[in-house]
Each structure stands twice: as structure tokens, then as C-alpha cells.
Amino acid sequence: MINNITLSGARAKGPRPYSLGDRSLEDALNIIMALAGELAVVRERLDTLERLLEQKGVVLPEEVDQFVPTYDQEKKRQQWQADYIARILRIVQQELEAIQQPTLNNSNMKEILEELGISQEID
Amino acid sequence: MNDDRAILYNLPPVYNRVEKHGAFPDISHDETARFNFLTGLNRHLNRIVEPGVKAIFEKRVRPRFEAQTGRLFTTADEIQEMMMQDSQYQVGSALRRSTIEMIQQATRSVVLRQIDELAEKARYYNNQRPETLKLNPAVEIPCYLSVIDQGCMPGSYYTEYGNDDVTNAANYDAGQFLITDGRLGKLSDGIGRGLVQWLRLNYPTFSPKQILDIGCGSGYQTLPVAMGYPDADIIGVDVSAPMLRYGHARMVALGVDKVTFWQANAEQLPFVDNSFDLVFTTRFLHEIPANSVEAIIQEIYRILKPNGLMLHIDQAGNAEAIPLFDQFVHNWRALTNNELFSLDIPQRNIVKWLHSGGFAERDRLQFGIEVINDFAGKSTPIEAGAERVAPLIQHVFGGWK
């Protein structure tokens, strides 16, 4: 049996041209574009739902645009937003923490081991 | 959205409008949405990002090079070397490759999840008319096809993932619309339709009885030519069993009964001398190295009847006539698409090929055909807009025997 997930993402035989000077940057660009695609998929699904709700007379488009959340709904919504943004920008937060608390975050493994009294060769 | 705005944005039709024949993969709502995004992204690159490459060259790269060296560019490679250092070009180029790979991932994830169902559908249709599908497992895949995955499709045209497999053919079918951003029509057969229209207009008395399509794949352009000449017998040959299997099933599903799909190598065709009135290829020669192209043209000359016609719908080169910048763009596209043999197209010499095949100079033909895009119905302003902005012209060359 084939693994359709890994096979779907298989590499095409042949040299792959990299255009950005930094390969990891090009990896990041590819990941971002894939995410942009998935966002478009969600957006289109929502659009389908709105059209169906409109067709069936359940929810009219202007009702979506004019919707104002209640206080409880607002809290949940904003909490979700804060959580979502923090997840996306995790790396920036962690880099900041390393700057703010250098002694806690910037020591290398060898220093930590020495502090613990363990001697071990680490590359 | 009004008509003018649709034209301004040059919107492609939605994937829902692709004609889904009986052998076609099932595609979910979200998969369709993903295809719509990628089609739009591809068209954006074609319409906005790629023309920008010319601006980068004109405004930044060329002036910088001329100021540094005190001379003009002399080769396409020199242009490429300088362009590669421009950050804006780098981003555009990386986006292009990324889009091609995302399209493959999107279509492959659709067909691979239903691999057994697709084989079953193809079997169902192929069993209805087994006499017009002539597979020959003894046909070897030429090394020029297996050395690189053309068009960045993993496994290329020929790989089989199981018995009666049609995976990569179905993948190709599902992806045609995305790769061409919807410009080949509902069945991706607009080139064949355009060829028939051109022939009827320019050679109204030409009435071929025996027609051969070489490298026919799944018969996208074979079927419209067959329907354009209903009195003719038409054969499509290809080395790839999955493409033929799927193409034959697709034909039966579409209710066409004209074409025989035949597994054979174009360099050794299993046909006697002087047997065809019309032999054509579509987007085929750029995937073949030059020495094999010469052999194929000689083979075509052998099987053509006297006064028969050979036509190749593909890019063709003549380095002296192509500006250096256009040569650079051509090479850039070839590298990005994994089209190894397309790289030497600017250096290819059509006239020499035709002469070595036996065709006389006075019988040479070279022209452009307009792709007929049947998305351009009157039903929605979006389709009308898309068509008016982007008629697609294909280069054709060949000759009369």
C-alpha cells in the first residue's frame, strides 16, 4: 500500500533551482505560500457556507457584516486571536526573551553541564 | 462584480467549470478551493510577476552591468548571472518554482487518495472497447524521459504505482487547468481545436483519411482533431501506458469512438511506409533531445503518404532572431519547469531538421494558431473578460511531403 501523504509531496527528479541566497529563507517562503493557500481554502469554504445560508434564508449577507458580538462572545473571540497571534510569532517572542534574560537563555550546553558538575565532551 | 472590473483583473474561471468526464478524479469542495487559489496564483505570476522581470532587467540589471563593464550583454547566460543577484528577481523566481511544486502536491494528493477507484473507473471504460487500446509492455521508456521529471511531476508520465495504474495521467489531467491557468478550455483541448480551425481555413480541401498524433499522452489534442475530421481514422501513440490507459478511458467516457491509443516509441513507429495523410505532435518536441527529434522527423517522413502533412505545435528556436533577454526568459522557464531539453531550443534549427528528414524547403510551413478556449461563453462576465485579455497563440512548424 502506498503512503499517499508522503507520495503527494514527493520531490521531482532533477536539480531544484534555489533563487534566494539563503536556502532556509526559501524554505520559509514555500511554507508561507502553502499557508496562504490553506487560508484561501478556508475563506472559500466560509463563502460557500454564507451563500448556502443566504439561499436558504437562514442568514443574510448583511447580517454577517453587521454582526456585533456580545460581551461573552467578544472575550472568547479576542482570546482566540491573542493565542493565535502568539503562536504564529513564537520565534520572535523567544528571541526577545533571549535578549532580555541572557544569563538564563544564552549559556551553551557545555556551560550548563559544567555548572551541574558533569564533564562530557560536546561538539 | 461588473464586466470591466473582471477584464481589468483578468480572472480565470473557477475550477468547478472544468468538464469532469467519467474517468476524472473526484474532487472535494476544499480541493477545488485549493485549485482555485493555485490557478489564481499562477495567473498572477504570469500577468504581474513575470512581466516585472523585464522591468528589473531594463531598469536595474542592464544599466548596472553596462556601467560596470562599459559594454552590452553578449550572452543569455551573462544576463542570468546578473539577474540572479537581484533580490526582486530572486523572489519572483522562488515564487514560480514554489507554485509549480504546490500545484503538483495539490493534484497528487487528490489522485493518490483515490488511486484504486481511479484504476477501477479506467478499467470500466476500457473494458467497453478493448480493441482500441493497444498496450505493449515491451516498449521501453527512453532514457531522456526517465532522467528527469518533466514539468516537475514526480514519477513523470510513465511511473506505475500498481496494476492498471493511471495515477500520474489523472494527476496530469486534474492539473492541466492549474498549469495553463484555465486557458486551454474545459477539456484542455483548445490547441487541437485551434489546429483544426486553422487547417480548415487555410487548406479547406485538405481532407486527411489517416491521422497520427505522436506523443499523444491522454489524447487531449487527439480527440478534437478526430472530431474535426470525422471521416478519418486516427491513432495516438505514446510510450506511457498510464497516459494511454487513462486517455482511452477518458475518450470512452466522453462518448468518442474514433481514436486508437497505441503504445509505441516515436523513433520506431510500428507503421508501414506511406500510410498517413497527417502526422502531428503537440508540446512534445521540447521534451526530446535534438538527436532524437531528427530521428523522429525522419520516421514521420517515412510513414507519411506523398502530399501528406507533418505539423509540430511547439516552441522553436532560431538564436539569431531571438533577443538575448527572451533567450534568458526561455532558459529560466525551462530550468524552473525541469524541462532539460527545452534549454537548447533557441539553438535548434528547424530548417536543418526538416531537410535531414527529407522535407523540401519550398514545402516548409511555419505559422501560429490561436487556442480555442471554450470557457469564453457568454454565461458570466468573468469568463468573457478572461478570454478577451489572454488569447493564447501556439507556434507551429512542419511541411508537406
Side-chain angles (χ1 to χ4, degrees):
Chain A
M1 198 160 143
I2 57 153
N3 180 335
N4 58 313
I5 295 177
T6 49
L7 201 52
S8 295
R11 188 186 199 284
K13 191 195 277 185
R16 188 199 191 278
Y18 281 85
S19 302
L20 304 185
D22 183 342
R23 284 200 176 198
S24 53
L25 196 58
E26 185 142 344
D27 288 353
L29 176 92
N30 277 264
I31 293 166
I32 292 165
M33 291 309 294
L35 284 173
E38 296 314 297
L39 178 64
V41 170
V42 174
R43 176 66 184 72
E44 190 157 311
R45 193 167 185 93
L46 275 179
D47 188 65
T48 299
L49 279 173
E50 280 186 30
R51 300 299 139 230
L52 287 172
L53 290 169
E54 180 187 357
Q55 260 175 39
K56 293 173 190 291
V58 180
V59 177
L60 299 174
E62 54 266 31
E63 289 181 287
V64 175
D65 288 326
Q66 289 162 6
F67 176 79
V68 179
T70 64
Y71 180 65
D72 277 351
Q73 287 168 340
E74 183 182 321
K75 267 199 307 190
K76 279 184 189 157
R77 194 176 267 200
Q78 294 306 79
Q79 199 173 325
W80 188 90
Q81 291 284 10
D83 183 38
Y84 177 63
I85 292 163
R87 233 179 307 149
I88 292 171
L89 296 180
R90 172 194 50 80
I91 186 73
V92 182
Q93 178 191 331
Q94 293 183 351
E95 281 166 356
L96 265 177
E97 286 173 2
I99 293 166
Q100 286 161 343
Q101 299 163 308
T103 50
L104 280 178
N105 291 291
N106 291 351
S107 49
N108 61 37
M109 282 298 178
K110 208 172 172 185
E111 289 165 352
I112 294 171
L113 286 173
E114 276 171 12
E115 206 178 308
L116 293 171
I118 303 168
S119 74
Q120 192 179 328
E121 281 305 311
I122 291 182
D123 293 327
Chain B
M1 185 175 297
N2 65 38
D3 222 344
D4 291 346
R5 193 53 66 84
I7 293 167
L8 177 69
Y9 292 162
N10 189 28
L11 299 172
V14 289
Y15 196 86
N16 308 66
R17 297 201 195 282
V18 169
E19 187 170 336
K20 281 110 177 170
H21 50 80
F24 204 79
D26 285 327
I27 300 177
S28 73
H29 176 282
D30 289 3
E31 287 164 346
T32 301
R34 196 168 290 122
F35 289 180
N36 285 340
F37 167 76
L38 290 167
T39 306
L41 177 60
N42 198 19
R43 184 163 290 198
H44 181 88
L45 295 182
N46 290 338
R47 300 270 304 156
I48 309 291
V49 177
E50 200 163 301
V53 169
K54 176 119 196 176
I56 292 166
F57 175 72
E58 299 284 356
K59 303 271 183 203
R60 299 215 303 220
V61 172
R62 193 170 63 184
R64 200 181 302 148
F65 180 82
E66 288 172 8
Q68 278 172 11
T69 63
R71 64 177 176 88
L72 304 174
F73 280 115
T74 52
T75 66
D77 286 347
E78 226 169 42
I79 295 178
Q80 183 175 354
E81 205 175 299
M82 286 298 283
M83 289 292 283
M84 292 280 279
Q85 293 165 30
D86 186 282
S87 60
Q88 192 73 25
Y89 166 76
Q90 290 174 358
V91 171
S93 186
L95 280 171
R96 172 62 85 190
R97 177 70 183 205
S98 175
T99 303
I100 291 167
E101 290 176 354
M102 278 195 288
I103 288 173
Q104 284 300 327
Q105 202 278 342
T107 52
R108 285 171 71 77
S109 64
V110 168
V111 296
L112 284 164
R113 71 167 169 77
Q114 52 190 305
I115 187 167
D116 296 332
E117 292 87 339
L118 283 166
E120 186 52 45
K121 281 190 203 176
R123 257 195 305 272
Y124 168 78
Y125 289 110
N126 288 336
N127 286 341
Q128 292 177 24
R129 204 177 303 137
E131 66 278 11
T132 45
L133 178 60
K134 295 178 186 290
L135 297 181
N136 178 6
V139 171
E140 284 178 24
I141 300 301
C143 61
Y144 53 76
L145 267 188
S146 55
V147 71
I148 191 167
D149 287 337
Q150 299 274 355
C152 300
M153 176 163 78
S156 194
Y157 306 109
Y158 57 86
T159 296
E160 302 191 48
Y161 297 100
N163 288 335
D164 294 344
D165 184 57
V166 294
T167 302
N168 277 8
N171 179 65
Y172 190 84
D173 198 9
Q176 278 284 284
F177 178 90
L178 285 72
I179 292 163
T180 61
D181 65 28
R183 288 182 295 173
L184 296 191
K186 294 171 186 170
L187 283 167
S188 299
D189 63 355
I191 300 174
R193 288 167 184 255
L195 177 65
V196 169
Q197 177 177 270
W198 190 91
L199 281 172
R200 283 215 183 119
L201 197 68
N202 290 278
Y203 296 96
T205 58
F206 179 58
S207 166
K209 295 285 176 285
Q210 307 290 332
I211 302 176
L212 179 66
D213 178 2
I214 298 177
C216 68
S218 289
Y220 297 101
Q221 315 313 325
T222 331
L223 265 52
V225 173
M227 283 144 87
Y229 291 103
D231 298 332
D233 288 327
I234 179 160
I235 296 173
V237 297
D238 203 284
V239 289
S240 155
M243 295 296 279
L244 294 166
R245 216 178 263 138
Y246 181 84
H248 185 263
R250 176 182 177 273
M251 173 180 76
V252 177
L254 287 168
V256 182
D257 61 358
K258 294 281 300 169
V259 181
T260 299
F261 287 85
W262 203 317
Q263 191 173 8
N265 185 320
E267 293 182 62
Q268 299 124 28
L269 291 166
F271 308 115
V272 298
D273 297 0
N274 306 316
S275 47
F276 289 94
D277 303 292
L278 171 63
V279 178
F280 72 100
T281 70
T282 310
R283 293 185 167 185
F284 171 69
L285 294 185
H286 73 273
E287 296 186 352
I288 313 277
N291 57 338
S292 292
V293 174
E294 282 197 41
I296 289 166
I297 289 177
Q298 286 162 16
E299 188 68 347
I300 292 173
Y301 191 84
R302 178 184 71 76
I303 60 164
L304 267 182
K305 291 180 194 169
N307 300 316
L309 176 63
M310 170 182 77
L311 292 176
H312 300 287
I313 305 166
D314 211 335
Q315 306 152 293
N318 173 3
E320 294 81 49
I322 305 174
L324 280 185
F325 176 77
D326 293 347
Q327 289 186 37
F328 150 73
V329 170
H330 171 87
N331 292 346
W332 173 44
R333 287 201 188 113
L335 288 168
T336 313
N337 288 326
N338 272 16
E339 285 172 346
L340 187 61
F341 304 110
S342 178
L343 273 177
D344 70 353
I345 280 184
Q347 275 70 47
R348 289 182 173 192
N349 190 325
I350 296 170
V351 177
K352 186 174 144 273
W353 280 346
L354 294 179
H355 291 178
S356 76
F359 293 87
E361 177 59 25
R362 67 174 184 281
D363 297 322
R364 178 160 68 93
L365 284 179
Q366 204 160 352
F367 53 91
I369 55 170
E370 189 173 323
V371 171
I372 297 179
N373 178 351
D374 58 359
F375 281 121
K378 298 286 176 281
S379 58
T380 72
I382 289 172
E383 291 181 1
E387 173 62 10
R388 258 175 281 160
V389 175
L392 193 60
I393 304 297
Q394 300 282 290
H395 175 259
V396 187
F397 73 94
W400 298 92
K401 178 173 172 180

